[in-house]
Amino acid sequence: MEINELTPAEARVWRAFARGEYVDFRAAPDDDPADGASWGPERTVRAAVLRALLLDGPRDSGGIPLLDLAGARITGALALQYATVEHPVRLRHCHFEETPRCYAARLRELNLSESVLPGLVSHAVRVDGMLRMTRARCGGTVRLDGAEIGRSLYLEGVEIDAPDAEGPVLQLNQTVVGADLWAPGLRTRGSVRLTGASVTGTVNLKDAELTAPDGTVLDAQHLVVGSSVTATCLTARGTLDFRGARVPGTLELAHARLSRPGGTALRATSCVIGELWLFGGGRIEGALRLRRARLDSLSLDPAMVPDEVYLNDLTYTALVPHHPAALRLAMLARDGDGYVPHSYEQLTAAYRRIGDDDAARLVQLAKLRRHRRTLRWYARLWGHLQDLAVGYGFRPLRAGAWLLSLLAAGSVAYGLHQPRALKPAESPEFSPVFYTLDLLLPIISFGQETAFAPAGPYQWLGYALVLMGWILASTVIAGVTRAVSRQ
C-alpha cells in the first residue's frame, strides 16, 4: 500500500506508526465510541490500512514502530488470522464496524480498551504480553478459547450483550493466562466459559454481573488457578459451575447474590479449594452442591444456605464463623440426598477442633435421631426408648431423673399399701424405698423383693417397675457403650 492511496487520517496514522507516536482523533476525552458510525472521514481508518502497517509497515531509523490509535472509526474487518505481529497494537476508544479476527495469530500486545466492537474472534491467539479490553463494549461473542497470554488478561468493566449468540458470549475455555485474569465489573448477557482454563495468578470477578437465567452463567469446570478467585459482590443469574476446579487460595463469594430458581445456583463438586467464602449475601436461590469437595476452610453463613443442599462426601478442616449447632444442623436437614452420616461426622469434627464439645454432642444426637427415621418400626421404637431414657447416652442425667421418679412413685405406693410378708417370722423390716429399688435394679438385691409379695394392682405395679428397670438399664448400657466408643 502506497502513501498516496491513503486518506489524510490514514496518512497521519501511517507516519506516526514508524515513529511510535500516539494518534488521537477524539474531539473531546469523553467522546463515546458508540456514536462512531456517525464519525466522518477525518477520523475514519480502513482496517486494511492497519493490517498493512502491522505486517509490513514503514520503519524510521531510531524509532520503535507502534500502532497507538484512539478515537477512530475502523471500517472493514481487521484480519490478522495466522499473522505474526511484532509491534504492540493499541486501538483504544475506537469504533469497529466489523469483528476483528486474530485467531491463531502471534501478537506482542493487544489493547482494545474502551472500544466498541461487534465481537472478537481471537481463539488460539498467542499474546506475548498483555491483552487489555478494559471497559470495551461488545455486541457479539468474544472468542479467546485456547488463547495463550503471557501476562495478564484485563476485562474490567467489559460489557458483552449478545442475547442472540449461539453458545457462550465470552469464551475462555482452555485459555492459559501467565498472570492475572482481571475482570471486576464485567457485565455479560449470556454464558461465560472458563472450562479447563489455567490462570497463574488471580481471577478477579468483583462486582461482576453475569446473566444467563436459563442455564450456566459461568462454566468454570476444571479451572486451575495459582492463587484465588475473588468474586465479592458478584451478581449471578444462572448456575455457577466450579466442578473439578483447583483453587489453592480462596474462592471468595462474600456478599454475592446467586440465583437460579428451580435449578442449581452454585456447583462446586469434586473440587479442591483452600477457602470457600459464602457469607454476607442474600439467601441463595437454587440448589447448593458441594459433593466430594475438599476444603481447608468453609466460611458459610447459615442465612445464605438455600432450601436444597447436597453435601455428601464434603470434607473441610474448619467451619467458620462459629454458630450454635442448631443453625448448622438445619443445613444438614435440607440435604437432598437424605440422611448422610458423613456430613454429621464432618460437622462434629469441626466443633471438636475448636473445643466446643457440647455442640459436637448435639450434632451426634441429631445424627442418631435422623438415622432412626430410616429404620424399621421396631428399631425406631428401641431408638425412641434410648432417646427418651438417656438421649442415646448424651443425656446421662436423664437416667437419674427417671430412676428417682420411679423410685418416688413406688415408695409412695408401697408405703401406703405394704405388701404381705411371705414368711412373717423370717422377713426383714419392710422398707418401701429399698423394696422399690429391688424391683428397679435388675442386679442389686436388698432382700426386700423375695420377702414380700404385693397383691392385686400393686402386683402389676411391681411387674411394671421390674420391666422399667430392665428397659432403663438396657438403654443406659447401650447409650454409655455408644458414647465410650466415640471417644
Side-chain angles (χ1 to χ4, degrees):
M1 184 170 288
E2 301 295 333
I3 189 89
N4 56 9
E5 299 175 356
L6 305 177
T7 67
E10 293 169 345
R12 180 182 170 188
V13 174
W14 192 276
R15 289 189 294 268
F17 172 81
R19 299 189 294 269
E21 294 178 350
Y22 174 50
V23 178
D24 189 354
F25 287 119
R26 291 178 294 170
D30 59 351
D31 269 6
D32 189 352
D35 300 328
S38 63
W39 293 345
E42 72 282 357
R43 54 192 303 183
T44 299
V45 179
R46 288 171 291 169
V49 174
L50 301 181
R51 183 179 188 275
L53 276 175
L54 293 172
L55 299 183
D56 192 24
R59 302 291 191 274
D60 191 1
S61 178
I64 300 175
L66 167 66
L67 179 58
D68 196 355
L69 176 61
R73 174 190 173 202
I74 299 174
T75 60
L78 181 58
L80 296 173
Q81 54 267 36
Y82 306 111
T84 298
V85 179
E86 299 177 354
H87 320 296
V89 180
R90 300 173 186 167
L91 300 171
R92 295 170 291 176
H93 305 278
C94 292
H95 179 93
F96 289 79
E97 289 193 345
E98 296 186 33
T99 300
R101 299 182 175 274
C102 305
Y103 59 85
R106 171 77 180 268
L107 308 176
R108 185 173 180 182
E109 177 188 319
L110 180 61
N111 190 335
L112 300 173
S113 295
E114 300 184 87
S115 294
V116 173
L117 309 93
L120 178 64
V121 178
S122 292
H123 50 289
V125 69
R126 181 173 178 180
V127 181
D128 295 336
M130 297 181 296
L131 197 161
R132 188 183 291 271
M133 295 182 67
T134 303
R135 292 182 293 281
R137 285 168 282 174
C138 301
T141 300
V142 175
R143 292 198 59 183
L144 289 167
D145 43 312
E148 295 184 28
I149 301 168
R151 298 301 302 160
S152 294
L153 171 60
Y154 291 96
L155 299 173
E156 67 267 39
V158 169
E159 296 182 14
I160 305 175
D161 190 353
D164 299 326
E166 295 183 4
V169 297
L170 176 56
Q171 300 179 17
L172 294 167
N173 43 302
Q174 311 302 325
T175 296
V176 178
V177 180
D180 299 326
L181 171 52
W182 202 255
L186 174 67
R187 305 286 188 274
T188 63
R189 186 179 174 190
S191 179
V192 176
R193 180 179 291 168
L194 270 167
T195 308
S198 176
V199 180
T200 302
T202 297
V203 175
N204 190 318
L205 292 168
K206 182 179 180 181
D207 296 313
E209 291 185 13
L210 312 179
T211 303
D214 298 326
T216 299
V217 71
L218 176 61
D219 187 349
Q221 295 182 60
H222 307 292
L223 170 68
V224 178
V225 177
S227 181
S228 299
V229 176
T230 301
T232 308
C233 300
L234 169 74
T235 298
R237 301 179 183 91
T239 299
L240 293 182
D241 195 344
F242 285 94
R243 275 180 290 180
R246 298 293 183 268
V247 183
T250 303
L251 173 53
E252 183 178 344
L253 292 167
H255 307 285
R257 294 175 294 278
L258 311 181
S259 175
R260 178 74 196 283
T264 298
L266 174 61
R267 179 184 285 113
T269 56
S270 302
C271 58
V272 178
I273 300 173
E275 298 182 26
L276 174 58
W277 291 5
L278 276 170
F279 60 83
R283 191 178 191 187
I284 296 173
E285 298 179 29
L288 172 63
R289 297 178 183 268
L290 299 176
R291 288 181 179 137
R292 300 176 300 282
R294 300 291 181 266
L295 314 175
D296 291 334
S297 176
L298 175 59
S299 299
L300 180 60
D301 183 353
M304 287 190 69
V305 178
D307 291 333
E308 186 178 4
V309 298
Y310 296 88
L311 308 174
N312 194 9
D313 205 26
L314 165 68
T315 61
Y316 47 86
T317 302
L319 180 61
V320 294
H322 182 270
H323 282 288
L327 292 178
R328 298 298 189 188
L329 287 169
M331 175 179 69
L332 304 190
R334 301 171 191 167
D335 199 312
D337 290 326
Y339 170 60
V340 181
H342 182 269
S343 299
Y344 288 89
E345 294 299 330
Q346 281 292 299
L347 185 56
T348 299
Y351 278 122
R352 282 178 176 162
R353 287 189 192 99
I354 61 174
D356 193 344
D357 292 332
D358 289 338
R361 285 191 290 269
L362 284 174
V363 175
Q364 283 294 299
L365 180 57
K367 174 191 172 186
L368 293 166
R369 288 171 173 169
R370 185 80 182 275
H371 177 248
R372 186 173 67 209
R373 302 178 200 168
T374 67
L375 303 176
R376 294 181 180 273
W377 68 268
Y378 49 83
R380 290 200 303 272
L381 178 59
W382 176 240
H384 279 293
L385 288 173
Q386 292 185 75
D387 194 2
L388 187 64
V390 289
Y392 285 102
F394 293 104
R395 299 287 187 268
L397 294 179
R398 190 178 292 177
W402 278 108
L403 181 61
L404 291 175
S405 299
L406 293 172
L407 178 60
S411 299
V412 170
Y414 291 116
L416 295 174
H417 300 276
Q418 179 177 331
R420 66 182 178 83
L422 294 175
K423 295 180 180 181
E426 301 176 9
S427 298
E429 183 180 353
F430 179 74
S431 171
V433 174
F434 284 98
Y435 181 76
T436 306
L437 283 174
D438 254 352
L439 296 174
L440 286 172
L441 302 179
I443 299 175
I444 301 174
S445 175
F446 296 99
Q448 294 280 316
E449 182 185 2
T450 58
F452 299 93
Y458 297 97
Q459 184 177 10
W460 289 103
L461 174 60
Y463 294 155
L465 289 174
V466 171
L467 179 61
M468 292 299 295
W470 276 106
I471 292 175
L472 186 61
S474 300
T475 56
V476 167
I477 292 171
V480 170
T481 300
R482 185 182 293 108
V484 171
S485 67
R486 283 189 292 266
Q487 300 304 318

